[in-house]
């Protein structure tokens, strides 16, 4: 999770988030090179008293500063398109989680396992335990197995919401009357936090999301205990 004084991305918990971080570093490297090059040229012009009389209205200069930005955009666009198709690909999910946004809480349905569904509310500050996170913890957490391809279906009952888990690289809109879907793969156990990322009303800031990633055997035991 993001803590105080954290200026970097959260640690990745899925292959898709790793690819997003690689693309971020790739793009930032290109931007830094461009910034340094342009800054050097500007400083050189400021402190240079010489003038190139052939520089004005020069066709070669026009060609160079048209081709170079085009090549730069290609180096950014190709990895971006590859990543876009990776994010949209659904690879035979092992289970489906249905998420419903409400004002102001989340409802979850495990439609693959009989009739398991529950609501997830933020724990009020006056009811927190010592091991809870203020404004981020919920009474019913999402329990999911690690190393499993999971499909999530997202919709809303009232207004626009957005189901977001930064460490998994997921941000999907919950739209009334529409069912959005995406998939993700959690590659390690842990607890991953998120929040609603679409301004949805007065209590928009009080719709946290928590996913607990556990082993498949522990997940099966949890499913059995919830259905007894």
């Amino acid at each position: 999770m993001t803590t105080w004084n954290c200026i970097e991305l959260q640690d990745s918990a899925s292959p898709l988030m790793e690819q997003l971080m690689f693309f971020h570093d790739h793009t930032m490297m290109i931007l830094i090179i461009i910034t340094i090059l342009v800054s050097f040229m500007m400083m050189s012009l400021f402190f240079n008293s010489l003038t190139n009389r052939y520089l004005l209205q020069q066709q070669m200069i026009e060609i160079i500063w048209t081709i170079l930005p085009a090549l730069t955009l290609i180096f950014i666009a190709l990895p971006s398109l590859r990543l876009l198709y990776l994010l949209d690909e659904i690879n035979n999910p092992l289970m489906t989680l249905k998420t419903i946004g409400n004002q102001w809480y989340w409802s979850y349905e495990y439609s693959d396992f009989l009739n398991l569904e529950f609501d997830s509310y933020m724990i009020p500050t006056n009811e927190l335990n010592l091991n809870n996170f203020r404004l981020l913890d919920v009474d019913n957490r999402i329990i999911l197995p690690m190393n499993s391809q999971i499909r999530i279906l997202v919709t809303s009952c009232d207004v626009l919401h957005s189901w977001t888990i930064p460490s998994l690289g997921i941000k999907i809109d919950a739209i009334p009357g529409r069912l959005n879907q995406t998939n993700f793969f959690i590659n390690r156990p842990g607890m991953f936090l998120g929040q609603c990322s679409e301004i949805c009303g007065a209590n928009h800031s009080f719709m946290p999301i928590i996913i607990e990633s556990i082993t498949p055997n522990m997940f099966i035991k949890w499913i059995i205990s919830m259905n007894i």
Side-chain angles (χ1 to χ4, degrees):
M1 62 177 289
T2 301
T3 56
W4 182 82
N5 205 28
C6 178
I7 60 174
E8 299 178 353
L9 297 172
Q10 295 186 23
D11 292 338
S12 170
S14 72
L16 292 178
M17 185 57 187
E18 290 176 2
Q19 294 298 317
L20 286 169
M21 294 173 70
F22 292 153
F23 177 69
H24 169 269
D25 296 341
H26 170 78
T27 307
M28 286 300 297
M29 179 189 68
I30 294 176
L31 293 177
I32 290 172
I33 292 174
I34 293 173
T35 302
I36 293 174
L37 180 62
V38 172
S39 301
F40 173 76
M41 293 177 66
M42 290 180 63
M43 295 302 293
S44 298
L45 289 173
F46 287 147
F47 295 103
N48 190 357
S49 59
L50 303 177
T51 302
N52 187 343
R53 60 178 178 173
Y54 298 109
L55 187 62
L56 300 177
Q57 298 181 357
Q58 179 63 258
Q59 189 68 29
M60 185 57 67
I61 288 292
E62 297 284 349
I63 294 174
I64 291 173
W65 68 40
T66 301
I67 292 178
L68 287 181
L71 292 175
T72 304
L73 291 177
I74 289 174
F75 278 107
I76 295 176
L78 292 179
S80 176
L81 290 173
R82 171 182 171 274
L83 187 56
L84 185 63
Y85 281 101
L86 284 176
L87 293 174
D88 286 341
E89 188 175 355
I90 305 294
N91 293 319
N92 299 321
L94 294 178
M95 62 167 290
T96 299
L97 173 69
K98 186 175 181 181
T99 302
I100 304 170
N102 303 273
Q103 289 182 315
W104 287 274
Y105 62 97
W106 296 99
S107 299
Y108 301 101
E109 298 178 8
Y110 291 76
S111 55
D112 298 326
F113 306 98
L114 300 178
N115 189 24
L116 178 56
E117 57 183 67
F118 55 86
D119 297 331
S120 180
Y121 290 87
M122 186 193 74
I123 300 177
T125 303
N126 57 352
E127 298 179 11
L128 289 175
N129 297 321
L130 290 177
N131 59 342
N132 292 140
F133 297 103
R134 179 179 174 271
L135 302 181
L136 288 176
D137 225 319
V138 295
D139 53 358
N140 292 310
R141 298 174 178 176
I142 309 167
I143 309 297
L144 293 174
M146 59 179 287
N147 295 330
S148 301
Q149 197 72 32
I150 300 168
R151 174 175 59 184
I152 179 169
L153 305 176
V154 181
T155 187
S156 173
C157 286
D158 35 53
V159 298
L160 291 176
H161 300 280
S162 186
W163 197 83
T164 306
I165 303 289
S167 57
L168 299 179
I170 298 177
K171 185 178 186 294
I172 181 168
D173 291 336
I175 303 172
R178 177 173 176 175
L179 204 62
N180 285 338
Q181 76 169 353
T182 188
N183 70 312
F184 57 91
F185 184 95
I186 306 175
N187 56 16
R188 61 185 173 91
M191 187 171 64
F192 311 110
L193 285 73
Q195 290 176 296
C196 176
S197 299
E198 187 74 34
I199 297 178
C200 55
N203 290 336
H204 156 68
S205 300
F206 307 106
M207 290 181 64
I209 305 161
I210 291 187
I211 291 180
E212 279 192 34
S213 173
I214 58 179
T215 62
N217 289 335
M218 293 297 295
F219 177 74
I220 292 173
K221 293 179 181 179
W222 177 76
I223 290 292
I224 294 173
S225 67
M226 292 294 288
N227 283 303
I228 293 177

